[in-house]
């Protein structure tokens, strides 16, 4: 019973919150009554069973709670009425070519929360937390920030929406291009948390990865001419195609070097490859198109040794020019190590030492440990693995790092 209820909540929460925000125009109220509806379900469903239409049950309960709240708090109700009137005056703008509606309420709210009155990072953080259902800690990981800092950012974004009286409405066709990058970032952040969970007993959360892919498919149908939408969908398909091979029989992490590539989803890879061609044709390369091209090179190779590392390094050079970041520089350093040797890669990693955005990001000391171990510097590698072990969030990652640390034990430096 417990797992089935959890699955229903995971499936219905986003739809419930999106519909409530659309109905009442207030994010805080929607969150509160959605949580109350879930709490009510936890009381009634174990005894009565999961209803035939759980989404409708949750929506009815949440709406009743919202109406009760508004009846008790006349001041709150008056403010909400003002917001709704202003939203109606703003007009029910809808993107061209959609028949007046986005095909999914959650995706509609992804665009709505990407309002230009909010700082760019606040838009993404708010959407991830409230509409994609990620926890504050998971959102913080996406930004490489402490959870307390992210919590303040989310509260600030909600306050801005409330004080500026930003209406929850569908953006017009002329507004979509400016809001699209934020929406793409949200969807990719959801996918990233699904592919590599930040905390917990499991390495992956396939439900989140699949939800991100589903939303990207809807977005592609909505905006078929946007090459970066094709790039994002292609990137996620090419990466998700490997997800079953990343986990061993006992739930352990399996690195790319050791994966059984026959378990990769070739149908998904072929679709992703076609999207890469589309994303990189007809104009300058975009951030997601280039990343998708890198993923395609990994998926096309028979093994790690025959991977086209020179081309991957060149693509990382393009990525750094498009969007300089320490994470991209880290990934490029690893690719350089595969192309030019561990010493060359380690020198690039050492240049990133002290980068504040890598503090707490365990792939950085893990990469250093791997290269130091390859160079026979086992004591230094052990130190790096210990640091990574303290930062890793999931049990499979910690178990993998413990095995790496044990491999360094008792080995003297060459």
């Amino acid at each position: 019973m417990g797992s089935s209820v959890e699955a229903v909540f995971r499936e219905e929460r986003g739809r419930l919150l999106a519909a409530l925000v659309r109905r009442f125009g207030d994010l805080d109220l929607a969150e509160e009554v959605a949580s109350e509806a879930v709490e009510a379900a936890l009381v009634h469903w174990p005894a009565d069973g999961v209803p035939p239409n759980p989404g409708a049950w949750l929506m009815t309960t949440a709406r009743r709670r919202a109406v009760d709240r508004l009846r008790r708090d006349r001041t709150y109700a008056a403010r909400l009425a003002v917001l709704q009137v202003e939203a109606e005056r703003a007009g029910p703008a809808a993107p061209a070519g959609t028949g007046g509606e986005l095909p999914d309420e959650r995706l509609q709210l992804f665009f709505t929360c990407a309002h230009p009155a909010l700082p760019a990072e606040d838009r993404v953080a708010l959407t991830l937390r409230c509409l994609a259902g990620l926890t504050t800690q998971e959102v913080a990981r996406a930004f490489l920030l402490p959870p307390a800092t992210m919590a303040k950012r989310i509260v600030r974004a909600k306050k801005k929406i409330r004080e500026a009286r930003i209406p929850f409405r569908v953006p017009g066709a002329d507004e979509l291009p400016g809001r699209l990058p934020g929406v793409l970032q949200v969807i990719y952040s959801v996918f990233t948390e699904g592919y590599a969970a930040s905390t917990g007993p499991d390495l992956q959360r396939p439900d989140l990865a699949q939800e991100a892919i589903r939303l990207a498919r809807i977005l592609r149908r909505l905006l078929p001419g946007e090459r970066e939408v094709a790039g994002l969908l292609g990137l996620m398909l090419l990466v998700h195609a490997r997800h079953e091979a990343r986990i061993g029989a006992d739930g352990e992490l399996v690195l790319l070097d050791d994966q059984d590539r026959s378990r990769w989803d070739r149908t998904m890879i072929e679709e992703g490859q076609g999207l890469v061609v589309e994303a990189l044709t007809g104009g300058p390369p975009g951030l997601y198109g280039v990343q998708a091209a890198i993923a395609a090179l990994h998926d096309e190779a028979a093994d790690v040794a025959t991977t086209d590392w020179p081309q991957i390094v060149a693509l990382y050079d393009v990525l750094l020019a498009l969007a300089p970041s320490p994470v991209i520089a880290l990934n490029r350093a690893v690719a350089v190590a595969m192309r030019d040797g561990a010493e060359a890669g380690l020198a690039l990693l050492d240049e990133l030492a002290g980068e504040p955005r890598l503090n707490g990001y365990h792939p950085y000391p893990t990469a250093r440990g791997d290269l130091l171990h390859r160079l026979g510097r086992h004591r230094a590698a052990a130190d790096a693995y210990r640091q990574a072990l303290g930062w890793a969030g999931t049990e499979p990652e910690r178990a993998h790092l413990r095995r790496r640390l044990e491999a360094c034990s008792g080995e003297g430096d060459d």
Side-chain angles (χ1 to χ4, degrees):
M1 176 65 186
S3 60
S4 63
V5 170
E6 181 182 352
V8 168
F9 290 159
R10 184 169 57 244
E11 176 65 22
E12 296 296 339
R13 181 191 180 279
R15 294 190 180 94
L16 175 65
L17 187 60
L20 289 168
V21 170
R22 188 177 185 185
R23 170 66 179 83
F24 295 104
D26 186 278
L27 186 52
D28 283 328
L29 175 64
E31 280 195 291
E32 289 170 9
V33 297
S35 296
E36 290 174 6
V38 169
E39 290 171 4
L42 288 172
V43 172
H44 293 285
W45 291 4
D48 303 336
V50 177
N53 191 337
W57 191 100
L58 289 168
M59 177 58 70
T60 299
T61 303
R63 282 178 174 169
R64 287 173 179 168
R65 299 297 175 96
V67 170
D68 289 343
R69 180 77 55 85
L70 295 175
R71 284 173 177 168
R72 292 195 307 267
D73 190 340
R74 294 185 179 277
T75 302
Y76 190 90
R79 177 172 65 80
L80 183 59
V82 170
L83 289 174
Q84 290 176 329
V85 168
E86 291 178 350
E88 290 172 3
R89 286 176 179 171
T98 67
E101 292 288 340
L102 291 179
D104 187 276
E105 283 186 318
R106 284 168 291 181
L107 194 58
Q108 183 178 79
L109 280 180
F110 278 133
F111 274 106
T112 303
C113 282
H115 196 283
L118 295 174
E121 291 185 339
D122 288 8
R123 299 174 214 160
V124 179
L126 180 67
T127 309
L128 286 173
R129 173 67 188 94
C130 297
L131 303 181
L134 272 64
T135 66
T136 299
Q137 185 174 6
E138 290 165 347
V139 180
R141 177 181 180 269
F143 283 87
L144 304 180
L145 288 175
T149 301
M150 182 53 62
K152 292 178 181 177
R153 178 173 289 177
I154 292 170
V155 169
R156 182 179 66 208
K158 289 182 180 179
K159 183 178 179 182
K160 175 69 173 179
I161 288 176
R162 184 169 58 252
E163 293 181 347
R165 295 183 175 179
I166 295 173
F168 285 89
R169 67 177 183 85
V170 186
D174 58 333
E175 298 172 285
L176 285 180
R179 298 192 190 186
L180 182 60
V183 175
L184 295 179
Q185 186 179 356
V186 167
I187 294 175
Y188 188 47
S189 296
V190 174
F191 176 80
T192 300
E193 181 62 31
Y195 184 73
S198 56
T199 59
D202 301 319
L203 181 69
Q204 302 179 109
R205 297 179 59 184
D207 57 315
L208 281 180
Q210 291 162 7
E211 172 68 2
I213 291 172
R214 190 190 74 83
L215 289 169
R217 289 192 186 282
I218 293 172
L219 192 59
R220 177 164 159 74
R221 291 197 297 271
L222 174 68
L223 301 171
E226 292 287 345
R227 292 188 298 118
E228 273 291 78
V229 175
L232 175 61
L233 179 56
L235 170 61
M236 294 191 297
L237 290 173
L238 289 162
V239 172
H240 192 58
R242 313 176 206 141
H243 80 278
E244 289 191 1
R246 293 184 69 225
I247 302 293
D250 297 324
E252 72 275 13
L253 168 64
V254 181
L255 297 180
L256 187 65
D257 309 38
D258 305 317
Q259 288 177 17
D260 178 0
R261 299 190 177 209
S262 68
R263 298 182 63 195
W264 290 2
D265 189 322
R266 291 295 157 186
T267 301
M268 200 174 290
I269 289 172
E270 289 177 5
E271 182 182 359
Q273 289 170 330
L275 289 165
V276 170
V277 173
E278 181 178 333
L280 297 180
T281 302
L287 181 67
Y288 297 107
V290 175
Q291 291 180 86
I294 293 172
L297 288 172
H298 283 297
D299 288 2
E300 292 165 3
D303 51 38
V304 170
T306 58
T307 301
D308 191 347
W309 294 108
Q311 182 65 15
I312 288 177
V313 172
L315 287 169
Y316 274 122
D317 289 338
V318 175
L319 266 186
L320 279 174
L322 288 172
S325 86
V327 173
I328 293 175
L330 163 61
N331 291 332
R332 180 184 181 277
V334 173
V336 168
M338 297 302 297
R339 184 190 68 179
D340 301 334
E343 197 74 60
L346 185 61
L348 293 174
L349 289 180
D350 288 343
E351 292 177 5
L352 298 173
E355 166 59 55
R357 287 174 290 178
L358 293 180
N359 185 33
Y361 187 64
H362 76 86
Y364 175 66
T366 299
R368 289 195 75 254
D370 290 346
L371 295 183
L372 288 164
H373 191 261
R374 283 170 54 184
L375 292 168
R377 296 167 57 182
H378 303 299
R379 283 190 289 271
D383 290 339
Y385 287 138
R386 288 189 192 95
Q387 184 180 45
L389 187 57
W391 290 350
T394 66
E395 183 51 39
E397 290 169 328
R398 289 192 291 269
H400 167 74
L401 289 165
R402 284 193 290 268
R403 290 193 296 270
R404 292 277 176 156
L405 188 55
E406 290 171 4
C408 295
S409 302
E411 295 187 19
D413 285 357
D414 293 347

